[in-house]
Amino acid sequence: HGTMTASEMVADPSTGFGICGASFDAELMVLKALDASGKGSVTNVCEAIYYAVDHGADIINMSLDLNLANTQLKSAIQYAWTHDVVVVAAAGNNSYSSPSFPAAYGGTFSNVIAVGASENQDDVIELANFSNHAGGLIPYSYVTANGVDLIGFNADNTLCSWSGTSFSSPLVASQAAILESANPTLTA
């Protein structure tokens, strides 16, 4: 999961596999907060956010979701906000009417971008059937990016194809990195 999201952002086009990360020459700070099966503690996720902010990250990609709000996570997201760091977060894959957390904090903090998954259906781009929606009562910073049948690398350096908002989010984080590199004076 992590290798795939990283390859979407920074895969070097000279590898010969025909894969090019959306921001392939950006610097990537890899922080592992969850285990190989995607399980872990909110504390570990928060520690990764604090570490990233304290060590110079401009953009944090969060290809994970929680079902409930969490005060510890909210504090970590707020810490990123106070340090002008963009947080790009997967909206979730449950077909819910609003994003899961941390993407749902896009309704609280202006630095959080919730990312849903889109797909191309007969030359029409639409929200993927599994993607959580933007919600209706709280205004979110919500965008979509392709999230179906994306190609990248597995941990064993072989090509794979995955779908989900976890794989839409790195594409948006990459676009934020490109914007930041083009104009470093932009705020989150």
Side-chain angles (χ1 to χ4, degrees):
H1 190 271
T3 303
M4 171 66 180
T5 60
S7 70
E8 284 184 275
M9 292 184 274
V10 296
D12 187 335
S14 67
T15 60
F17 288 103
I19 302 295
C20 179
S23 56
F24 70 88
D25 60 350
E27 291 181 43
L28 184 66
M29 180 188 306
V30 177
L31 302 174
K32 185 173 179 165
L34 304 176
D35 67 18
S37 64
K39 305 292 184 213
S41 70
V42 172
T43 299
N44 288 350
V45 172
C46 293
E47 286 175 3
I49 293 169
Y50 288 118
Y51 183 93
V53 171
D54 290 344
H55 288 84
D58 296 311
I59 298 137
I60 297 173
N61 179 65
M62 298 186 73
S63 290
L64 56 91
D65 69 338
L66 303 169
N67 290 326
L68 301 171
N70 180 285
T71 57
Q72 186 181 12
L73 181 60
K74 185 177 181 180
S75 293
I77 299 288
Q78 183 172 14
Y79 186 76
W81 177 72
T82 62
H83 287 82
D84 202 34
V85 175
V86 174
V87 175
V88 181
N93 302 322
N94 309 101
S95 301
Y96 294 161
S97 61
S98 60
S100 298
F101 291 93
Y105 288 123
T108 305
F109 300 109
S110 60
N111 66 317
V112 178
I113 303 170
V115 183
S118 60
E119 65 179 323
N120 188 336
Q121 291 279 334
D122 301 318
D123 294 326
V124 175
I125 296 173
E126 57 187 40
L127 194 65
N129 64 353
F130 57 81
S131 181
N132 290 357
H133 298 245
L137 300 177
I138 299 171
Y140 288 92
S141 296
Y142 181 94
V143 299
T144 63
N146 186 13
V148 177
D149 297 329
L150 294 166
I151 305 294
F153 290 104
N154 272 327
D156 64 359
N157 206 31
T158 60
L159 292 179
C160 61
S161 172
W162 289 40
S163 298
T165 61
S166 283
F167 310 106
S168 303
S169 184
L171 298 176
V172 173
S174 291
Q175 293 306 303
I178 291 168
L179 286 171
E180 195 273 334
S181 71
N183 188 348
T185 62
L186 289 174
T187 62

